[in-house]
Amino acid sequence: MPLYHHLRTDVKVAENSFHQHDDKVQLVYIHSGCCIISSRSDSTLAVNGQLLWIPAGVEHRLEVLKSTTFSVLFSAPNELPMFSNNMCGLTVNGLFVSLMEYINEIELTEVDDIPAHYLAVLKDQISQLSIKEQGYKATGEIDRRLLPVIQSLTLKPDIKLSLEDFTESCGASTRTLNRMFQKCFEQPFRSLRLQIVMEKALQLNRQGIPHTEVALELGYNSLSAFSTVFNKYLRDKKI
């Protein structure tokens, strides 16, 4: 089968049961927002600019948070490298992100809408990707009370976003919410917030957006403050 693409936007999807695709591999790219991909043992957040690999024959369940825009790509297993026998994140580069942004901007919802030369380049770029360390994996299911926070943070990443903004809607104190993040993701909210903000910065940077605009969009008061954190993130992640 050829590379098949489907663009979905402004939908909320929650699959009730686990399923698998025995004859095809699946990739999920997040343009904006967040998807939660669950296996029998854990759950993984896929956020802005991230790409997830789901191999053939692996049980999974997909939940898409409200207002998320994402692309789903399918391919025969022999058409792409076997990155892993398990679900995992994949690296993306500037050309891949630019191609996905082009698809999103002009709303190419089906593979037949994508010019053949773009499709060939997209497939070639996917073949050159590698496994990426995934920092948003939770043991078991993610506590539903955290979803309003995750949705707000991934739809509009902001370094100033505070748990205090969600105590009423989540029905829990700031301290309780932070404990829940620590329990689910083995890291406090501040750490997860920084990673999601930096992943958005990476996505915008790969789209060629000037750093000054990126810094302002992500809630930083100055370019120097943003640059210091962003450059450290790149060094730590060896990007």
Side-chain angles (χ1 to χ4, degrees):
M1 65 181 292
L3 186 66
Y4 173 83
H5 170 268
H6 186 60
L7 176 70
R8 305 188 69 179
T9 185
D10 201 27
V11 295
K12 188 176 188 300
V13 177
E15 296 173 341
N16 294 322
S17 58
F18 287 95
H19 66 283
Q20 63 189 50
H21 308 288
D22 292 325
D23 59 345
K24 55 193 173 187
V25 298
Q26 180 178 354
L27 296 107
V28 180
Y29 177 78
I30 312 302
H31 297 276
S32 64
C34 178
C35 291
I36 301 172
I37 312 289
S38 300
S39 68
R40 295 284 184 180
S41 59
D42 54 44
S43 301
T44 299
L45 298 184
V47 302
N48 305 286
Q50 291 190 327
L51 179 67
L52 276 186
W53 161 262
I54 305 173
V58 171
E59 283 192 317
H60 61 281
R61 184 174 62 199
L62 176 68
E63 179 172 1
V64 182
L65 301 190
K66 186 178 179 181
S67 300
T68 292
T69 300
F70 66 107
S71 284
V72 178
L73 301 108
F74 292 105
S75 176
N78 61 354
E79 293 288 329
L80 293 173
M82 184 60 178
F83 296 105
S84 173
N85 292 321
N86 302 308
M87 291 190 295
C88 64
L90 297 180
T91 61
V92 294
N93 55 35
L95 182 53
F96 178 86
V97 172
S98 295
L99 284 168
M100 298 309 293
E101 180 64 14
Y102 164 77
I103 289 170
N104 182 32
E105 282 185 349
I106 59 179
E107 298 182 347
L108 300 179
T109 57
E110 304 293 342
V111 71
D112 292 340
D113 298 330
I114 304 175
H117 58 287
Y118 278 98
L119 194 60
V121 174
L122 182 60
K123 187 174 180 180
D124 177 67
Q125 287 299 301
I126 293 173
S127 298
Q128 297 180 42
L129 303 181
S130 58
I131 295 175
K132 175 184 179 181
E133 178 185 351
Q134 179 54 262
Y136 318 118
K137 184 167 287 188
T139 302
E141 293 191 5
I142 296 173
D143 193 306
R144 309 297 298 180
R145 290 172 291 178
L146 297 180
L147 295 188
V149 185
I150 293 170
Q151 179 173 310
S152 293
L153 180 59
T154 54
L155 278 177
K156 189 171 176 53
D158 190 327
I159 198 64
K160 296 176 182 174
L161 190 72
S162 170
L163 287 178
E164 294 178 358
D165 301 327
F166 299 94
T167 53
E168 185 174 341
S169 60
C170 294
S173 67
T174 300
R175 181 175 295 182
T176 298
L177 288 173
N178 202 49
R179 281 202 302 265
M180 290 159 61
F181 271 103
Q182 184 72 50
K183 181 178 179 180
C184 278
F185 298 102
E186 297 184 348
Q187 57 184 306
F189 169 73
R190 287 171 60 90
S191 176
L192 190 67
R193 178 186 62 189
L194 176 62
Q195 292 182 65
I196 291 174
V197 167
M198 289 297 101
E199 285 295 318
K200 183 64 177 180
L202 266 175
Q203 182 188 30
L204 296 174
N205 182 63
R206 286 165 173 155
Q207 292 172 9
I209 308 298
H211 278 196
T212 302
E213 293 182 27
V214 175
L216 290 174
E217 180 169 335
L218 299 179
Y220 284 90
N221 292 326
S222 70
L223 176 59
S224 60
F226 165 74
S227 296
T228 298
V229 177
F230 186 54
N231 290 332
K232 182 179 185 303
Y233 186 79
L234 295 179
R235 289 195 303 271
D236 291 345
K237 297 295 182 180
K238 299 180 180 179
I239 298 174

